[in-house]
Amino acid sequence: MLHLRVIAPSDQSSAVVELLAAEPGVTHLVVLPGAARQPAGDYVTCDVVRESADGVLSRLQELGVEAHGAIAAADVELTLSEAADRAAEEAPGHGEDAVVWDEIAAKTGEQTVLTGTFLALIVVATMIAGIGVLLDQPILIVGAMVVGPEFGPLAALCVALLRRQPRVVGHSVQALTVGFLVAMAATVLSTWALTAAGLVSRDMLLAERPMTDFIWRPDALSWVVGLLAGVAGMLSLTSKKSGSLVGVLISVTTVPAAANVAVASAYGVWHEAAGSALQLVINLAAIVLAGLLTLVVQMCWWRHVARRAAHAVPRQRADRPPSPVSASRRPRRDDG
């Protein structure tokens, strides 16, 4: 469930309240006339079940509320209310599967900014993976996957492509490109420094590495893993489940490959560097493709659910008029 806070200009307040009151998935509606000061207007607050939230937000934006007012939404962690239970029952679909597109766009859009923290995390993750490659240690590869932050820009890229936002697409591509290039350059330098210190050597890269040699040998399974990672990543993003674990799954196909490119380049093992680069490109493309297709399927499904619910409501109202008992117990607005 989401908690909505709306500042509605006085000339739009009645339309906003009527819209929210007519939505079965909305409950706990409170209207404070003239309470908002900046921007000025009526303060309207309510709770909306997640399966209805996207439609409510879209209709509020169609009214143009955000132009002179404001719309804010936040997750409600706990709700003890029979009214909320009824709202969840009457709303179409299931809350755990619901997609709130504005929420996803806002969340992923924040992760396209090329910040110092993002660069630091991807550099550290790639350097750790580089050491893991040389030592043939899966535990270090897993550690690098936990640190890797590239899931954010990848998810933002998928959402921006679906919503046709070229500016966000550009920022996402920039964050990924600059991030991986800086991380690989830093890993090349760290590999040279560790070699000079006698901690690693070229022979370690050329030795048999049964635990990590899959990183630079792409095959059909590379596409399969990338596609599965993209599906899992998008489902995690939209349903808010297992976000950190899915981030690890995403990283298994990206950060280690980038690290292997850097280490192999540092030692001049160009065939292995080329294989790792191909692995990286294949999996990035597969993740974006699968993530985009997952979002398309979800969008089509929820449109179908909304259309079915729109047809069902008039029939239910015609077939089952409210009983006199229920009507007599319903509170009236003019009651004191």
Side-chain angles (χ1 to χ4, degrees), residues 80-270:
L80 302 177
S81 166
E82 291 187 5
D85 294 339
R86 287 195 298 271
E89 292 176 358
E90 294 178 7
H94 299 282
E96 293 183 354
D97 298 329
V99 180
V100 185
W101 294 104
D102 288 312
E103 178 188 44
I104 296 171
K107 184 190 306 181
T108 56
E110 295 174 354
Q111 301 182 53
T112 62
V113 181
L114 191 60
T115 63
T117 301
F118 175 82
L119 287 176
L121 286 174
I122 198 167
V123 165
V124 170
T126 308
M127 291 172 65
I128 293 173
I131 297 174
V133 164
L134 291 171
L135 297 178
D136 195 34
Q137 286 293 333
I139 191 170
L140 293 179
I141 300 296
V142 173
M145 295 186 297
V146 172
V147 177
E150 74 282 6
F151 172 65
L154 282 170
L157 179 58
C158 295
V159 175
L161 287 172
L162 180 66
R163 294 169 67 92
R164 299 178 183 178
Q165 299 172 317
R167 183 170 172 270
V168 180
V169 170
H171 288 168
S172 301
V173 172
Q174 180 187 44
L176 290 168
T177 302
V178 175
F180 276 117
L181 288 177
V182 170
M184 288 188 284
T187 304
V188 169
L189 295 177
S190 68
T191 301
W192 286 342
L194 292 173
T195 302
L199 298 177
V200 297
S201 67
R202 189 173 187 270
D203 293 338
M204 297 173 67
L205 181 69
L206 298 176
E208 292 291 330
R209 292 180 287 130
M211 303 299 293
T212 57
D213 64 353
F214 71 94
I215 295 173
W216 64 276
R217 291 177 175 173
D219 53 21
L221 287 177
S222 301
W223 270 105
V224 173
V225 173
L227 291 170
L228 293 175
V231 172
M234 286 304 104
L235 290 177
S236 170
L237 176 68
T238 57
S239 65
K240 294 186 172 184
K241 289 191 175 184
S242 306
S244 59
L245 294 178
V246 172
V248 173
L249 174 60
I250 295 290
S251 296
V252 74
T253 61
T254 54
V255 168
N260 211 91
V261 171
V263 173
S265 298
Y267 288 132
V269 185
W270 301 114

Side-chain angles (χ1 to χ4, degrees), residues 32-106:
L32 302 176
R37 292 293 180 267
Q38 188 179 0
D42 296 345
Y43 184 73
V44 183
T45 179
C46 66
D47 291 334
V48 54
V49 295
R50 290 190 65 85
E51 49 267 50
S52 298
D54 189 67
V56 170
L57 290 172
S58 297
R59 288 191 287 276
L60 287 174
Q61 292 176 74
E62 289 174 1
L63 292 175
V65 174
E66 75 279 8
H68 302 287
I71 305 171
D75 281 314
V76 178
E77 298 296 334
L78 176 64
T79 301
L80 302 177
S81 166
E82 291 187 5
D85 294 339
R86 287 195 298 271
E89 292 176 358
E90 294 178 7
H94 299 282
E96 293 183 354
D97 298 329
V99 180
V100 185
W101 294 104
D102 288 312
E103 178 188 44
I104 296 171

